[in-house]
Amino acid sequence: MGQVLLCSEAFLKSATAISDNISGKYIQPAIREAQEVGLRGILGDALIDKLKDMVADGTIRDESNLAYRDLLDRCQYYLSYSAVVELIPKVSLKITGFGLAKATDEHLESVSQDERAKAEWYYQGKADSCCVALQGWILDNRDAFPELDECTCERMRSNLRSAASCGIWLGGVRGRVTIGKCRR
């Protein structure tokens, strides 16, 4: 299967505060990374592959696939915010033949590392909020998606009990050992 993106550049630009003149050369890899790393971790391999197949062959528009279309619509904001988190470092810094450089323009002033981190944190918080809402909706409607297995649902449930995308352990249920069918 070719590269199928579940979120368009146009939606990302309309839903976020990024400039209309940012090239697809930067946007598409950011969306792809948000989709293949972030969203795949949320939906699981089988469900995201099903969505990509349905988008690729156009069956997502069929009336018999309303649950999948609703799921795809609900993924849009998560993908947009997560893509912006991926996009910020991609457009802020350039790797050149002589090393790492930052782009400047005579009419623009580059933000500090701290300001850039705050922007990433802001969009990551938005993505986390969308993720929690998306996971709750999927669990409420799991019967509509035969691709969801019990391990994927249990992973979603555990994230809903202790959701955070930071790199430190916050304690709580994530530290428990899962006993049962799903040991990963």
Side-chain angles (χ1 to χ4, degrees):
M1 175 186 351
Q3 287 298 324
V4 175
L5 296 179
L6 300 177
C7 181
S8 70
E9 289 181 42
F11 184 84
L12 187 142
K13 287 179 179 181
S14 71
T16 64
I18 68 168
S19 173
D20 286 338
N21 67 355
I22 293 180
S23 170
K25 170 184 168 184
Y26 298 111
I27 294 174
Q28 289 180 4
I31 293 172
R32 189 174 305 113
E33 195 167 347
Q35 173 180 302
E36 296 301 325
V37 176
L39 191 61
R40 187 172 291 276
I42 295 167
L43 301 182
D45 292 335
L47 189 51
I48 198 166
D49 289 342
K50 174 76 172 182
L51 277 177
K52 287 169 63 175
D53 288 343
M54 293 174 84
V55 167
D57 65 16
T59 57
I60 194 78
R61 292 189 282 287
D62 293 350
E63 290 300 316
S64 61
N65 295 322
L66 290 176
Y68 291 97
R69 190 176 336 152
D70 196 13
L71 173 60
L72 182 61
D73 289 344
R74 290 172 183 274
C75 292
Q76 297 303 298
Y77 281 97
Y78 170 80
L79 285 171
S80 294
Y81 294 136
S82 294
V84 171
V85 172
E86 300 298 333
L87 188 63
I88 290 171
K90 287 176 177 35
V91 297
S92 299
L93 302 170
K94 307 289 182 261
I95 300 172
T96 66
F98 62 88
L100 195 60
K102 64 180 174 179
T104 61
D105 186 294
E106 63 186 62
H107 301 291
L108 294 175
E109 184 178 326
S110 294
V111 297
S112 68
Q113 177 97 12
D114 186 49
E115 291 169 316
R116 192 171 73 232
K118 285 179 183 176
E120 289 177 20
W121 176 80
Y122 170 80
Y123 282 104
Q124 186 62 61
K126 293 280 203 179
D128 289 347
S129 176
C130 292
C131 175
V132 168
L134 178 61
Q135 287 177 320
W137 182 85
I138 291 169
L139 289 172
D140 289 345
N141 295 282
R142 67 183 163 271
D143 294 337
F145 306 105
E147 297 81 11
L148 287 177
D149 59 12
E150 188 54 38
C151 291
T152 303
C153 289
E154 184 53 37
R155 189 178 69 242
M156 282 184 213
R157 282 187 205 97
S158 68
N159 283 336
L160 290 174
R161 291 188 296 262
S162 177
S165 58
C166 66
I168 60 171
W169 182 64
L170 300 175
V173 295
R174 284 189 181 209
R176 294 183 185 162
V177 175
T178 304
I179 298 173
K181 297 184 239 177
C182 307
R183 295 189 72 141
R184 290 189 197 185

